[in-house]
């Protein structure tokens, strides 16, 4: 009897072993870092490498041998920020989703560019709560330090990325 590996994709999945391996690694990342359910992570992984790129929710669920709910959850989560485009299939409850070219850099950049804004909000909190007892603001001080370091390290990162993207496009 073989031991089932946590997060292993179903043997009934139509993915190749190489595809399963990749999809598992992506799902594992999201499971460890965000506590995401394995099946939701499978959807993200599969949409990075699926061919054709445009897949219906039912096709994704079938390929991964999972219920449709995790596909719908990921589509609902990642369509509004533009990571996926969603196209309804008339006369059905199904729809196509496609991972947008450049979606990850755009999504990451959008989130990371907001870190200095969050840092400023934390700094504001330290200013307006400066007369509070140390026990009350110690977490805020730790956050301010962390987000201050991250903000300084991020300076210019997206300029370098944009230069790289532009030179690769030439």
């Amino acid at each position: 009897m073989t031991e089932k590996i946590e997060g292993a994709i179903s043997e009934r999945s139509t993915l190749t072993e190489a595809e399963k391996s990749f999809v598992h690694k992506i799902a594992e990342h999201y499971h460890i870092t965000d506590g995401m359910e394995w099946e939701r992570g499978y959807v993200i992984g599969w949409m990075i490498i699926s061919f054709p790129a445009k897949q219906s929710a039912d096709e994704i669920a079938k390929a991964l041998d999972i219920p449709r709910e995790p596909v719908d959850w990921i589509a609902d989560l990642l369509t509004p920020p533009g990571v996926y485009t969603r196209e309804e299939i008339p006369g059905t409850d199904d729809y196509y989703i496609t991972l947008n070219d450049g979606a990850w850099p755009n999504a990451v950049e959008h989130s990371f560019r907001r870190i200095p804004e969050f840092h400023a909000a934390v700094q504001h909190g330290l200013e307006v709560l400066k007369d509070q007892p140390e026990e009350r603001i110690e977490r805020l001080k730790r956050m301010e330090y962390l987000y201050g370091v991250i903000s300084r390290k991020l300076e210019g990162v997206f300029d370098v990325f944009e230069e790289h993207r532009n030179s690769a496009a030439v």
Side-chain angles (χ1 to χ4, degrees):
M1 184 167 126
T2 60
E3 186 177 314
K4 180 161 171 50
I5 299 170
E6 182 184 19
I9 298 173
S10 166
E11 291 181 14
R12 293 182 305 274
S13 164
T14 61
L15 276 59
T16 67
E17 289 305 312
E19 291 168 336
K20 286 179 184 179
S21 176
F22 174 79
V23 168
H24 173 79
K25 284 293 188 188
I26 297 298
E28 183 177 51
H29 166 78
Y30 284 105
H31 183 74
I32 291 169
T33 60
D34 299 330
M36 184 179 287
E37 294 176 12
W38 286 99
E39 292 173 341
R40 294 173 180 177
Y42 299 164
V43 175
I44 293 172
W46 176 239
M47 290 309 297
I48 293 171
I49 63 167
S50 65
F51 186 81
K54 183 179 184 179
Q55 301 267 314
S56 77
D58 285 344
E59 289 169 335
I60 296 164
K62 183 178 179 185
L64 295 169
D65 190 38
I66 61 172
R68 175 83 181 257
E69 184 278 328
V71 179
D72 294 339
W73 193 91
I74 289 297
D76 290 345
L77 178 72
L78 296 178
T79 299
V83 175
Y84 295 140
T85 55
R86 182 176 177 148
E87 177 187 338
E88 300 299 325
I89 300 174
T92 73
D93 70 341
D94 203 4
Y95 54 91
Y96 293 109
I97 58 174
T98 309
L99 178 68
N100 290 325
D101 291 338
W104 290 117
N106 293 340
V108 169
E109 182 176 357
H110 176 76
S111 296
F112 280 31
R113 284 200 184 266
R114 301 196 91 88
I115 287 175
E117 293 173 24
F118 188 74
H119 179 234
V122 172
Q123 286 177 313
H124 173 75
L126 283 175
E127 179 60 32
V128 298
L129 297 171
K130 65 184 174 197
D131 298 330
Q132 294 296 311
E134 184 65 26
E135 305 83 48
R136 183 166 186 206
I137 60 171
E138 65 186 42
R139 286 172 292 170
L140 193 55
K141 284 183 176 182
R142 285 193 303 270
M143 287 180 85
E144 189 281 328
Y145 179 76
L146 171 65
Y147 281 93
V149 169
I150 294 170
S151 293
R152 288 187 296 279
K153 294 293 184 183
L154 283 175
E155 284 180 28
V157 166
F158 292 104
D159 296 332
V160 171
F161 177 73
E162 193 60 37
E163 286 174 22
H164 174 72
R165 185 169 24 191
N166 289 338
S167 67
V170 175

